[in-house]
Amino acid sequence: MKWFELGLVVLTFATGLIWLVDRLFFAKRRAAAGGLLDEEPVVVDYSRAFFPVLALVLVLRSFVAEPYKIPSSSMMPNLLIGDFILVNKFAYGLRLPVNNHKFVSIGEPERGDVVVFKPPHAPDQNWIKRVIGLPGDRIGFHGDTLYINGEAVQYEKLGDFVGQGRGAEMTGASLLLEKLPGREHQVLEWLDRANPAGQGEWTVPAGQYFVMGDNRDNSEDSRFWTQTHFLPEENLRGKAFLIWLNCEGWFCKGSFDPSRIGTSIK
């Protein structure tokens, strides 16, 4: 993804520069030559054609919305393998492409937001998790229960999960409604397993966040990061808000679920 973004920036500026230089200097010389040099070079012709398209794509991907595909089951049951999602790129501020530097501050993540980010231990990758802990929060995970500032989060069992396709491995897990303060949402947990992984307590530093996957027993999230358990604000890419397609394999040969098209991400 980083190389695609870098290539898009380079191509946009290169085609724009070629088009601008030709229009300011060489196009006038061709016109003044009385038609002897009036044939436009191929590179200029292509630059003039592609620059507006590349510029539009760059602006949309960098400052409006960017598409991502869900590759794993860590956010089940809310996001499934094969979901194509859109990420709001201006929800938490405007950032430059490639280096992700924020130059306009607009808002901050709220508890329960589903965010795309660059993990501190894998800065060339894009991951997606849910914001659980805000700066200053004390987060605990004991047994199968989440604690926020010493208070246990309440759960309601909705039944047993039935997975499909590559998510079938989670069939039989408990489907729970986690009543996160301000944002109720569904999670998956194997309640019958002894000594579940990811136990501990953490205090979130200023300017950082604690993130977890909704598939609590199958998510490499803040509980397991060894270098730091927290997500720095500067690593945020945006807020996930819409599923626009669910499709596995080339030309959707693996599976295709039209019911997920247009589903908002909660």
Side-chain angles (χ1 to χ4, degrees):
M1 186 66 71
K2 180 179 179 180
W3 291 111
F4 175 82
E5 194 171 34
L6 180 61
L8 181 60
V9 171
V10 171
L11 283 174
T12 302
F13 278 91
T15 54
L17 182 62
I18 292 171
W19 185 22
L20 178 63
V21 170
D22 179 78
R23 185 159 188 171
L24 291 177
F25 301 103
F26 300 107
K28 294 179 180 179
R29 290 177 56 187
R30 290 196 300 272
L36 295 178
L37 298 174
D38 61 350
E39 184 177 347
E40 188 176 68
V42 174
V43 67
V44 175
D45 184 35
Y46 277 104
S47 295
R48 178 168 52 81
F50 284 110
F51 171 70
V53 178
L54 292 170
L56 178 62
V57 172
L58 178 62
V59 170
L60 290 177
R61 288 185 79 259
S62 300
F63 308 123
V64 181
E66 186 173 5
Y68 290 91
K69 182 180 179 182
I70 303 300
S72 73
S73 61
S74 69
M75 288 297 292
M76 291 173 62
N78 301 296
L79 292 175
L80 307 180
I81 298 172
D83 277 346
F84 288 80
I85 66 171
L86 285 178
V87 174
N88 184 332
K89 296 302 294 287
F90 58 86
Y92 309 131
L94 299 181
R95 299 176 183 269
L96 294 174
V98 183
N99 68 3
N100 206 44
H101 173 72
K102 184 164 70 173
F103 62 94
V104 176
S105 181
I106 296 177
E108 301 295 336
E110 298 179 358
R111 194 187 322 278
D113 284 359
V114 177
V115 297
V116 171
F117 59 91
K118 294 185 176 296
H121 54 284
D124 291 334
Q125 300 178 19
N126 290 308
W127 288 19
I128 184 167
K129 304 293 179 189
R130 189 179 298 274
V131 174
I132 299 297
L134 302 177
D137 281 344
R138 289 183 295 109
I139 302 299
F141 194 71
H142 302 290
D144 295 298
T145 302
L146 175 67
Y147 292 79
I148 300 178
N149 297 321
E151 297 289 331
V153 174
Q154 299 301 307
Y155 296 85
E156 176 185 344
K157 185 168 181 179
L158 303 177
D160 293 331
F161 181 73
V162 178
Q164 298 179 353
R166 293 170 59 191
E169 63 182 17
M170 295 305 300
T171 295
S174 294
L175 180 63
L176 306 173
L177 179 66
E178 182 175 76
K179 300 182 179 181
L180 197 68
R183 188 76 60 86
E184 294 185 350
H185 63 101
Q186 296 180 0
V187 299
L188 291 180
E189 290 196 36
W190 293 102
L191 298 180
D192 57 347
R193 292 184 178 178
N195 301 317
Q199 308 296 296
E201 294 198 9
W202 308 268
T203 299
V204 186
Q208 303 193 52
Y209 299 90
F210 193 90
V211 296
M212 296 176 66
D214 293 340
N215 190 351
R216 293 293 161 76
D217 294 302
N218 192 16
S219 173
E220 185 181 348
D221 50 42
S222 287
R223 296 170 293 170
F224 304 101
W225 298 349
T226 55
Q227 296 179 350
T228 173
H229 290 283
F230 310 105
L231 170 66
E233 189 277 337
E234 58 266 24
N235 287 39
L236 288 167
R237 298 283 291 174
K239 177 182 177 181
F241 70 96
L242 182 73
I243 300 170
W244 60 274
L245 181 66
N246 176 276
C247 182
E248 290 188 48
W250 289 102
F251 304 107
C252 298
K253 289 184 177 180
S255 67
F256 173 64
D257 186 354
S259 67
R260 298 187 65 76
I261 297 176
T263 304
S264 61
I265 298 174
K266 299 178 180 180

